[in-house]
Structure formats: C-alpha cells, structure tokens
C-alpha cells in the first residue's frame, strides 16, 4: 500500500463523516420544521456523527465512494401534507451534501484564484469533501428503496403502485451491491458527478470573478 493511497484514505475520513452527518441532520431538521418531533426524540436532531454514522456504510463509502448512514426515522402523519413532507425531507439530505460540496469547491477555487498556499493535506481533504459529498448526494437520489430517490418517486405513484414499489426494498441491499460492482452504476453516477463538479467549479469561479 503506497503513501499516496494511505494519504487519500486519511483525507477521506473527515469528508465521509461530514457527508453522513450533514445528510442525516438535514433530514431530521426538515422533518422537525414540518412538525414531526420523531427525529428529535430519537436523538437525531444533532450534527454529532456518532448519532448518524453507519459503520458498514462508512466502510463502503471509504472503499467505494458510495455508502450510507443510519436512516432518520420520521412519521409522515405529523406533516400537514404527507406526500410533500416526505419529498422535502427526502431531498433535504442530498441538497445538504451538495451545499457542502459547493463550499469545498469554492474554497479550492478561492485558493487557486488568490494563489494561496495550502498544505497538501488540506487540499486532499477539500477535494474529498467535494467528490464524496457529490457522490453521496447522487447515490442517494437513485430510485431504489430505501434511498431518498425512492421516496421522491413514490410520492408520485398511486397507493397501489407504492405498495408494489416498496416491496423491492427487501432486495435493495442485493440490488445496490450488484450495481456497485457492475459498470451500470459508473455509467450513471460518474457522468452525473463529473457534471456537478464542473458546474460547481465554474459557478465558484464566476462568483469570485465578480467579487
């Protein structure tokens, strides 16, 4: 195992922890704003990573750059509009990850624009923040139960089709593992992640240009 690989793994650790914590906290906070106190009662309305990190998901994202955290339990019955509430809570996690990724992109572009001398370790951490948060957001938007994308798709289905759709959840882990080890996932996620990364870098550069 060479030094470059070891340094990359070390730099990825804080990025993974932040990605998981921010993602799940966003779910919990939006649910709380919409009137559901379930996440707060279960101790999830916090940025403490120990409340959110799934160690298996942590290992998967460390090794494969795609993984998961402990899901936040919500009670849609507490929302005024159950479907809309479920969609807003579901999309909050990926959006939070994308916000963190953009901040990382802005920091990298800022350092380049003003010729700042950053340590190699800090650059690695910022790049990991950018890449892993984008990957975490895109991965969780896949329409595979129980990922966030499935909740969004489910909101537009009839009750009958919702029931059929969520029956696939029993096979979700197998489906995800097969996807991870197949070229199909790379064909979907790599172009999407690359597009978002370039868009964020371009937007960050545009913002700094007008400052």
């Amino acid at each position: 195992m060479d030094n470059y690989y070891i340094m990359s793994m070390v730099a990825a650790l804080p990025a993974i922890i932040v990605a998981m914590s921010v993602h799940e906290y966003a779910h919990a906070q939006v649910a709380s704003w919409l009137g559901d106190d379930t996440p707060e009662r279960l101790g999830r309305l916090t940025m403490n990573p120990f409340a959110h990190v799934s160690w298996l998901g942590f290992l998967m994202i460390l090794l494969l750059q795609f993984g998961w955290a402990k899901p936040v339990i919500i009670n849609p019955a507490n929302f005024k509009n159950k479907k809309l509430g479920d969609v807003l809570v579901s999309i909050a996690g990926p959006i939070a990850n994308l916000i963190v990724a953009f901040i990382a992109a802005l920091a990298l572009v800022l350092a380049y624009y003003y010729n700042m001398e950053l340590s190699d370790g800090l650059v690695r951490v910022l790049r990991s923040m950018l890449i892993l948060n984008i990957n975490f957001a895109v991965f969780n938007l896949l329409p595979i139960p129980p990922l966030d994308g499935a909740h969004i798709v489910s909101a537009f289905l009839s009750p009958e089709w919702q029931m059929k759709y969520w029956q696939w959840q029993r096979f979700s882990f197998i489906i995800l593992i097969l996807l991870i080890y197949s070229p199909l996932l790379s064909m979907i996620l790599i172009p999407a992640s690359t597009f978002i990364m370039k868009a964020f870098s371009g937007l960050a550069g545009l913002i700094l240009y007008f400052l």
Side-chain angles (χ1 to χ4, degrees):
M1 188 177 296
D2 58 31
N3 290 335
Y4 179 82
Y5 181 77
I6 294 173
M7 290 297 294
S8 297
M9 294 277 281
V10 171
L13 292 177
I16 296 171
I17 292 172
V18 169
M20 287 185 168
S21 301
V22 165
H23 184 97
E24 298 304 328
Y25 173 75
H27 286 318
Q29 184 61 76
V30 171
S32 179
W33 284 340
L34 294 175
D36 182 18
D37 65 345
T38 306
E40 184 176 8
R41 287 190 289 104
L42 296 177
R44 303 302 300 277
L45 198 60
T46 176
M47 280 291 292
N48 183 349
F50 290 104
H52 303 299
V53 171
S54 162
W55 296 112
L56 178 57
F58 180 93
L59 181 62
M60 293 290 284
I61 198 172
L62 181 63
L63 298 176
L64 303 174
Q65 296 189 351
F66 299 104
W68 58 88
K70 294 177 185 176
V72 170
I73 305 301
I74 64 169
N75 183 0
N78 291 324
F79 302 148
K80 291 182 179 179
N81 185 319
K82 294 180 182 179
K83 284 190 176 182
L84 178 60
D86 194 28
V87 169
L88 292 176
V89 170
S90 298
I91 204 170
I95 288 176
N97 287 127
L98 292 176
I99 291 172
V100 172
F102 178 71
I103 292 172
L106 186 61
L108 287 168
V109 172
L110 180 67
Y112 176 81
Y113 189 83
Y114 289 104
N115 198 27
M116 298 178 181
E117 292 187 7
L118 301 181
S119 67
D120 181 63
L122 180 56
V123 171
R124 287 176 186 270
V125 169
L126 288 173
R127 284 177 178 170
S128 293
M129 286 283 187
L130 172 61
I131 295 168
L132 289 173
N133 273 279
I134 290 176
N135 286 346
F136 205 69
V138 175
F139 180 77
N140 276 281
L141 285 173
L142 291 174
I144 302 172
L147 299 179
D148 299 326
H151 288 268
I152 296 169
V153 170
S154 179
F156 297 95
L157 300 177
S158 66
E160 179 184 357
W161 279 102
Q162 281 181 352
M163 185 177 299
K164 293 179 180 179
Y165 185 54
W166 283 101
Q167 286 177 350
W168 285 97
Q169 184 168 347
R170 73 184 76 170
F171 307 112
S172 60
F173 186 77
I174 296 173
I175 293 171
L176 290 172
I177 292 297
L178 291 175
L179 275 176
I180 288 171
Y181 285 101
S182 74
L184 180 60
L185 187 66
S186 297
M187 290 169 60
I188 296 171
L189 296 185
I190 290 179
S193 297
T194 301
F195 173 79
I196 294 171
M197 199 180 309
K198 289 181 178 179
F200 280 0
S201 297
L203 180 58
L206 189 64
I207 290 173
L208 291 177
Y209 178 80
F210 287 104
L211 289 179

